[in-house]
Amino acid sequence: MARRASFPDKDESKQPVLVRRVANRRSTLKSGRTIGEQREKFETANERMIARQKDKRQKRLRVFLVSFGFATLAAVLVGAYLLLIDRSGENQLKNKPEAYVYQPTIEIVDEDATAAEGKITSRMQEYIGQAEADFRSLGYQPTKAVLPTNTIREVDFYLDGHSGFIKMVIDRGTAVSVEDADRMLRYLADQGITDFQYIDVRLPYKGGGGGG
């Protein structure tokens, strides 16, 4: 009767040491790859976060620099504009002609014997000087200016070649008063009237005269 071959029982503890080392190595390599991949993923995520933070800082810096640049430009423009206005004002003041002060050359007579000295004020003198210049510009030759008794603002002008005088008031401009007097004098000349007592131009459009 044939004998059956007998095989020893498989026992894990009796497996060759080399097999276990290979399995352990494979397990270690797999674990190493897993840890390496996780570490790589972590480092990649960390780098991305750092990059995003850096990008944000750069954006904030760019915004700040742009804002600062605009603010500086605006300040420079405003300063230049104010300086231009200031210089323009200075030039206008420099180029502005000084007001001419008229000084009378004719005789001034104050008929108010009771008036205190100094009745002929600087304003009165300037008015007489300006009226004198206006009369001369129209071809008349003033000879004197009289301040009548008990008056404050009236001035009577006497002209060479005319018997009467011209009543004027310092509250009214000399140019319009002299023009009204000129119209009245020409009107009287056209009417053949050469002798008159006075022509009153103290009120506009109401020039009147007194007969001789």
Side-chain angles (χ1 to χ4, degrees), residues 109-125 147-154:
V109 179
D110 186 359
E111 291 183 343
D112 192 351
T114 63
E117 294 183 1
K119 178 183 176 181
I120 304 176
T121 62
S122 58
R123 180 188 176 191
M124 184 73 73
Q125 289 182 354
L147 279 62
T149 305
N150 298 325
T151 62
I152 299 176
R153 297 180 176 84
E154 182 181 334

Side-chain angles (χ1 to χ4, degrees), residues 74-86:
V76 171
L77 292 177
V78 171
Y81 178 73
L82 293 177
L83 181 61
L84 181 63
I85 291 178
D86 186 55

Side-chain angles (χ1 to χ4, degrees), residues 89-182:
E90 290 180 358
N91 293 332
Q92 288 180 357
L93 290 176
K94 291 180 181 178
N95 298 329
K96 184 178 180 180
E98 296 182 359
Y100 182 79
V101 178
Y102 291 90
Q103 294 293 336
T105 62
I106 59 176
E107 179 186 6
I108 302 176
V109 179
D110 186 359
E111 291 183 343
D112 192 351
T114 63
E117 294 183 1
K119 178 183 176 181
I120 304 176
T121 62
S122 58
R123 180 188 176 191
M124 184 73 73
Q125 289 182 354
E126 185 176 357
Y127 180 86
I128 294 173
Q130 189 170 358
E132 178 186 350
D134 291 338
F135 274 119
R136 293 185 187 279
S137 67
L138 295 180
Y140 300 99
Q141 298 300 321
T143 56
K144 68 178 179 180
V146 177
L147 279 62
T149 305
N150 298 325
T151 62
I152 299 176
R153 297 180 176 84
E154 182 181 334
V155 184
D156 298 337
F157 287 89
Y158 288 79
L159 307 177
D160 185 31
H162 297 278
S163 58
F165 56 87
I166 313 298
K167 286 187 176 185
M168 296 172 57
V169 66
I170 64 174
D171 294 333
R172 191 173 183 228
T174 59
V176 293
S177 297
V178 170
E179 288 177 358
D180 288 347
D182 176 56

